[in-house]
Amino acid sequence: MNLNATAIAMHTAWLPPKLLLTMKLTILMLLIALVQVSAKGYGQISIKQKDASLESVLSLVKKQTGYSFFYDSKDVRSAKVTINLSNVNLEQTLKELSRNMPLDFKIIGNTVLVKRKDVMPTNFTNTSLASTISGKVFDEKGVSVPGVNIVLTSDGFKQNTVSNASGDYQFTIINAGNYTIEASYIGFNKYVQVIAVKNSNIIKNISLVPSSEDLSEVMVVAYGKQTKASFTGSAKELKGPVLNGSPRASVQESLQGNVAGLISSNGSGQPGAVPNVRIRGIGSVNAGSGPLYVVDGIPLNDNQISGLNNYDIENLTVLKDASAASIYGSRAANGVILITTKSGAAGKTVVSASVQSGINKIIPIKGTEALNTSEMLELLKEGWVNKGNDPTLFEQEMLTNNVNANVNTDWFDLLTRTGNHTQADLSISGGTEKTKFYISGSHYIAKAPVLGSDFTRSTANMRISNQVSDKLFISGGLQVNNRNNHTQADGSNFGNPVRMYSQYQPWLRAYNDDGTYDFSYFNRYNPMAQVLESYSTRKAYALIGNFLAKYQLTKDISIENQSNVNFLYGENVEYNKSGVGTSRTDGGRATSSTDRMVNWVNTSILRYNKTFGDFGLKTYAGYESQKVTEVGNSITKRNFLPNTYTLDNASILVEGGSNGTSNALNSVFLNASTDYKAKYYLSASFRRDGSSRFGSEKRYGNFWSLGVSWNVLKETFMDDQHLFSELRVRSSYGVNGNQDIGNFASRALYGSTSYDNAPGLVFSNYGNNLLTWEKNKPFNIGLDFGVLKNRLTGTFEYYSRATSDLLLNRPISATNGLTSFTDNVGAIKNSGLELELNSVNIQQKNNGFGWTTSFNISTIKNEITALTSPIISSSYNRFVGGDYYQLYMTGYAGVNPTNGEALWYTDETETQTTNNYGSAKQYNQGSALPDVFGGLTNSFSYKGFSLSFQLYFNFGNKIYDNFGTNVNSDGSLGFGPTNRISRYSYDTRWQKPGDLTLTPKMVYLGSQSGTSSQNSSRFIYNGNYMRLRDLTLGYDLPAEWVKHVKLSSAKIYFRANNLFTYIKDDRITFDPEVGVDGFADKNIPVYRTALLGLDIKF
Amino acid sequence: MMKKLYNLFYVMLTAVAITSCGKEFLEIDPEQQAAVNVVVVDLPTTKAAVMGTYSLLQSAAYYGRSLVILPDLMADNLYISRRNSSRYTSYDQYITNTNDGTASGSWNIMYRTIVNANVIIAKGEVLAVPQSEQAEVSHLVGEAYALRALAHFDLLKCYAAPYNATANASHIGVPVLAKSGTSKEDIINPKRNSVKEGYDQIIADLKKAISLMPATPVGFSASNKGHISQFAAKALLARVYLYMEDWSNAEAMATEVISSNKFTLLSNANYVGGSTNFRIQNNSESIFEVVYTSTSNLGTDRLAAFLFQGSSYGDGLATDDLYNLYSGTDVRKGFMTRGSRTSAENPANVITKYNNITTFEEGVKVIRLSEVYLIRAEARAKQIGKEALAIADLDMIAKRADASATTTTATGIALQNLILLENRKEFAFEGHRLFDLTRNKLAFTKYRTGGITIAIPSNSLKTVLPIPLAEMNANTNMEQNEGYK
């Protein structure tokens, strides 16, 4: 499969059309089966030419055979050839040409690729002197290193090669003499050696030494790459392998448990849903709290990240502190997530294919099994009696309420299914030293374990780069994706299947005896009809394209420009079938809408890197502008013809409209870092941003950071110690910002409306010319250590981030006509400790047993430090001294054991109780934010087998069950069709005097407890849980087998997610992985997945 | 080196030329909204601002639902079905707290109405427009004055004790606003004015509105009741005087409206059913109503969805106490159906007064001619020597509804009670009842589902709504109502 097809040197700055065609065709040819066809037996060739140009000879051959030639004109332009052939075949012709010329020919299909020979003898006539230099490249541990770039030079001679998959390289040379061999590879010192060549083959193994910048792993950072050693900030890098095999639709879900200080959760198992990511706490009240996502240099919004194919991600870096993130200025306050997609590597063309397929199920939580009809009736009858009614009249009451005790519908069974997903990826990458490419395509199909929820995604991705000349480098990428969501109502909306299966009474039927839907109850909200007949779909089409040109002006100075465009188009249809639920009277209703976004970013960067004696200096300055334009339109019609779905079939226009908005950002930035003897590092960054979102008088803001690090091991006093193999202290401080608010929040505005068919305007926003950035000042101090020759490495960090000038929807007296306006007031502080440990418990030797562990744990403390006035919003109370998710409601005091009545505390002193909910005061009930969370991953390997599992844990938070009052209604809702009572209530209810329980007695249509307005701490639960989030068992097929089927590697694996969950609080009858706000709604729960996958490379 | 510098210069120049954007790059104007400085600058934008203010009245927190439901629910006309959508349940149980969304929603929307009206008044009064447009602009400013008065009046009704709670109405009312701003610098934290100050402002505003609007409306036809006309302002003023117990002015103002002959009562046959019944927008009896269109309505939040069965929720049911008041021949009994509510109350008095679930073009009557008659009846009954006139007005309404009703003979307190009873029957589910009870200092029974009752004394502190907690938090000058401290 090794094909030197793209090895065509380019000689001009811009691609000539012929070359472009060559490149395109080359890629095309790679894609088709890459079968080499023998040319034997084809048309015979006769040529007789003297000192003719090679081009004319090739053209003759083309005429006689029909074969086309692809070549770079530079290689053949000046070549003259004398040739005399008659009646030979193509192969012989090419052989003859090749003998006389420094060219190689390769036949592919009916095309011949012409390229310069790797070996460039200065004297072609004297071929007998040819000898080789060959060998293997090893790293310091003696492991072979593929992909190392090796250059062999001598006077008038230069040749390049790259070590192959097993680390081997080879040069063929003609002349004796002294040759310099240079090998370079990222993270290692450049290897340089002079070899004297006489007329014999030479074996020269190359041992690479890790570069002096100690364990210099290179990591992706803002606007470039940097060695880990020189990095003064706080960041966590995740490599492809952690992300690539994940069955989760969005990459953010793979961050949970892998990055200290990061919470990623949305509490919804809806495939394609975008998780909320919070890095180091909650930094804002009203502006966004999510990080900035930058994909290959393009800032994107979070829902576009789910358009990325996990397999295309090379690595992902989470930037947490000022030193790492402040260069992104006004958008860096909540951290930055950099995603780099894959690009090709020089060498053999690698084709990777992977396929995985799995099934998923809703996780059964103990105590969630629905009550059946007889259990439900038992409860209601008990309530009937408790109410003081005559037990013999209960049957009559059942009849009045149309309860058929013989029906026992299992709604969970009807509305859920075994979901599944399949992901297939194909990628091809490779190239030469000069031109590299990566192309891929993928398809992902997921069916959620509830009815009516599906997701598909198709992606295509191409990245190509070319070193045009010593100075000019260009690179371009294009990603296209199509996502189709078919979703059901989520959360607390009617028609949500999860809500329906947890609330519908078992005596209601889905279908009549004749198979039609039973619409006789609850406003025709038949759950099956709702899920199967109505739908909500979104089709999103996205395109991300970028082009980078980089020019090396001098040895030290380079300039680059990257232009990006990101395009998103979405089509949405929401359809409510006539006669079902919402559309029971309006004849069916549908909304069709489209939205389009164009995000344009252009960045120019000037870099200057130089070493002055013991000092190294790296700087860059840049200019960036961005504009995001969004438009959309929407139309709603109703009254459909039966079984029609397009809006043309509906007769009544409900509403129609269009919208448009945009914002722009203009910035300059500067970054400099210096080191002294790779011992002390100092870095600084500055950025000035101008944003269209802010007040005309405060449009520009300045952001900066300073970072230092000290490589303790480089000190002389550490020379004699053997304990530490790595020891570094680093710290940073700076200012960055948050501008994640509405586009026109600073303007005094009137919104549009209408009255009596006339257009109207209504005051909608207070103007604030002074509105500016929310300022975030992160401080970070960290210690990186490695002991026992890095058998145990770790990082310990303390951070605090103080956010001031909060972009707050500042509450104002409603007498101002509005209840809030956006202002810079208030402050919030987050702080915490993060510890990350990685250990090699048993080092794998000779393919034997190996065991590694990585562990991370984070604490989080959030405190509102300034606020103009307390803000009570939904169930949270935000006040100075409290934290952002402080729950606020009436305190539940349990059940009076003598009569079974519910009791509430009269106030926050919790000294007095009352049996009258209305006379109890609301007060603070604890925070929904966890105190501690983290992950533990263990990986074992033995021969080709690998086993790893990840545990995620989360302690110290409260969860509020939004549906608590509904599913624990204590009989107050009687036979209400959607008021089934929970099993927890059934099991724990008060039944007789003396019962000690938290669940009051059942009272049929009672109101002392269980009514829907009685929100209280009764439904606030302890959120502690631990979960076996991920388990992977993999097997690398033995090399011999793999070779047998002409593959270079093959791996099969089994993976399971969420196999086991420990929940502390037995009142929790839902999945404990709720959103960051601790609010448990009836979302599609996170589900359990099991899958099989196969990855092959050839 | 020089050449390299030139290269650098050119590359930089090109890069900056491609990407550079001047200051105007950051100057982006909103497309969907209008900046304040382009509103109320000519006739079309003044008209749009007034239409925008009317649209606030459409809100479910205002005339769209809450202001119609609460006064009947917190009194003896309406209760919440035990199968409900959780709306207004705390009012049904009299356990409303200061953090309640309904109380804050209404408070917010009423003040929003006032602020929008204030901007129109301030800018509209000094607006220079061509002579041909002056009359319409004046009329629009007049409507803004009337809207400001209406919102202040509604605030006082909901959040303060009645005018007659103290001898000189010196008790605490609501903040009274005669001007408002649109920028950060204009933000205010007002104290509550006295009820007297509030009513003074209301009367001044309505009088100003009457002076600005000619008898024939400018800018809309007299048959369009979706806008405030001179007579709508006069009818509202009559009601204000009635609440102030200024009987003679109430009577005089009511007479002006009635004798204008611009409005006629619907006939008995066409009142509840028929082609031009109560529900039809712009009917001849309507003086001012909040209108809805098929493209501008509240959807599932509309009044009909809350009251009418078979639509969405049907949460609100009429009390037996009310239902049994109507004689068998009273057509108004037809605004209810004695039936059952699926899986809940049986029997149940299902309300059908609002039932348009197809086009949603069903206006909410703010004031109509029958009220003006009953205002005058009450004002006359409270004045010495006008009982016969009062009876004539009362019978006009009673006999329109019940053809077999006998002519009233009662006098004194009995007559006044009959007028109050007629009010209850005539305006059931139109948002009057609680205020008629409290301004007459009457105790009453709140009926709930399942036969539960709550006795509300005449001096209850819970018949007014709480000042919203958010307002208390945001405005340190605000004082809470006694019943919620």
Side-chain angles (χ1 to χ4, degrees), chain A residues 58 68 165 304 381 465 473 497 590 601 673 714 884 919 931 985 1044:
Chain A
L58 294 180
S68 308
Q304 284 193 262
K381 190 165 185 183
S465 66
F473 171 82
V601 192
S673 59
K714 293 270 176 178
Y884 186 69
S919 60
D931 296 328
S985 272
H1044 202 65

Side-chain angles (χ1 to χ4, degrees), chain A residues 523 584 602 638 747 750 813-814, chain B residues 19 29 34 226 311-312 358 471:
Chain A
N523 287 335
R584 63 199 167 277
N602 195 299
R638 62 182 188 85
R747 305 284 293 265
Y750 268 71
S813 165
Chain B
T19 63
D29 281 321
S311 172
S312 287
T358 51
E471 178 71 38

Side-chain angles (χ1 to χ4, degrees), chain A residues 208-385:
Chain A
L208 294 174
V209 178
S211 88
S212 66
E213 294 178 308
D214 64 289
L215 297 159
S216 53
E217 254 180 88
V218 172
M219 59 193 293
V220 175
V221 295
Y223 297 106
K225 288 182 178 177
Q226 192 172 345
T227 58
K228 236 180 189 168
S230 68
F231 190 61
T232 59
S234 175
K236 168 77 179 178
E237 189 175 40
L238 292 181
K239 303 270 191 199
V242 180
L243 309 166
N244 289 169
S246 165
R248 302 176 175 97
S250 64
V251 64
Q252 291 104 315
E253 292 172 73
S254 296
L255 302 178
Q256 182 89 299
N258 281 317
V259 182
L262 181 147
I263 301 176
S264 165
S265 172
N266 61 357
S268 175
Q270 190 107 278
V274 183
N276 291 318
V277 172
R278 297 291 179 265
I279 299 168
R280 293 186 163 177
I282 315 292
S284 189
V285 174
N286 295 116
S289 288
L292 171 72
Y293 291 89
V294 180
V295 177
D296 294 332
I298 316 169
L300 295 183
N301 72 19
D302 58 356
N303 73 43
Q304 284 193 262
I305 305 301
S306 64
L308 289 176
N309 171 17
N310 285 339
Y311 277 88
D312 285 339
I313 296 174
E314 174 86 47
N315 71 36
L316 179 152
T317 313
V318 180
L319 308 180
K320 299 195 269 195
D321 74 329
S323 185
S326 284
I327 192 72
Y328 286 104
S330 64
R331 293 166 296 178
N334 297 310
V336 180
I337 294 183
L338 301 177
I339 295 174
T340 310
T341 61
K342 285 178 181 163
S343 50
K348 188 171 169 261
T349 296
V350 177
V351 179
S352 304
S354 72
V355 59
Q356 62 166 244
S357 186
I359 54 166
N360 50 62
K361 275 246 174 220
I362 288 183
I363 300 166
I365 306 282
K366 198 178 121 247
T368 51
E369 313 87 72
L371 297 186
N372 61 31
T373 300
S374 68
E375 288 165 329
M376 207 36 230
L377 291 175
E378 177 194 339
L379 275 189
L380 288 174
K381 190 165 185 183
E382 185 178 310
W384 179 260
V385 173

Side-chain angles (χ1 to χ4, degrees), chain A residues 617-638:
Chain A
L617 178 67
K618 286 181 177 162
T619 62
Y620 61 85
Y623 175 81
E624 186 168 85
S625 43
Q626 180 176 19
K627 183 158 186 173
V628 180
T629 309
E630 291 168 84
V631 296
N633 54 56
S634 168
I635 188 162
T636 304
K637 286 180 84 176
R638 62 182 188 85

